[in-house]
Amino acid sequence: QVQLVESGGGLVQAGGSLRLSCVASGRSFSSYAMGWFRQAPGKEREFVAGISWSAGSTYYADSVKGRFTISRDNAKNTVYLQMNSLKPDDTAVYYCAADGRRMIPTTRSDYWGQGTQVTVSS
């Protein structure tokens, strides 16, 4: 079992930056692939970024490439999402996910945080 708690969301102007954190509790954090997803009102949850258990591989949605960076610190059981050059379209609830079976999490992954709101004003 893995419990995930996100933090770092908030209100920011377009062009600004935020860093989201997701702290995991439970066993074997370093063996889980981690990812960030987001869900805007009226839309389906979508993949944002993923990182393999060793941090050797990272993956990004086309919409955030070059602006967002995912990283992890296995010693702190934490995964981060650095978000730069934020746009109003990035407004959503951001969720952290963990997956012990896949290379990166998907919407079918077993473990999810409660989400943190990110609002980007124009």
Side-chain angles (χ1 to χ4, degrees):
Q1 289 284 344
V2 178
Q3 293 79 43
L4 305 172
V5 178
E6 303 99 333
S7 63
L11 174 64
V12 64
Q13 288 188 331
S17 298
L18 283 174
R19 188 175 83 154
L20 305 184
S21 300
C22 172
V23 179
S25 59
R27 299 187 298 177
S28 304
F29 171 78
S30 60
S31 66
Y32 285 84
M34 301 297 296
W36 289 93
F37 293 73
R38 66 187 182 188
Q39 188 166 18
K43 294 187 176 181
E44 294 186 352
R45 190 171 297 190
E46 64 175 4
F47 171 80
V48 174
I51 188 166
S52 62
W53 66 271
S54 67
S57 299
T58 56
Y59 307 86
Y60 297 94
D62 288 343
S63 58
V64 306
K65 276 182 185 175
R67 300 188 299 123
F68 291 10
T69 303
I70 188 171
S71 61
R72 66 189 295 163
D73 185 339
N74 287 343
K76 295 183 179 180
N77 283 13
T78 303
V79 62
Y80 305 97
L81 185 68
Q82 178 66 44
M83 306 186 293
N84 298 328
S85 302
L86 283 161
K87 305 175 182 179
D89 284 349
D90 294 319
T91 295
V93 177
Y94 283 70
Y95 297 90
C96 175
D99 199 307
R101 296 174 291 163
R102 301 177 177 90
M103 179 72 76
I104 58 169
T106 72
T107 53
R108 300 195 193 101
S109 293
D110 293 331
Y111 303 111
W112 294 86
Q114 82 289 350
T116 186
Q117 176 71 47
V118 172
T119 303
V120 184
S121 63
S122 57

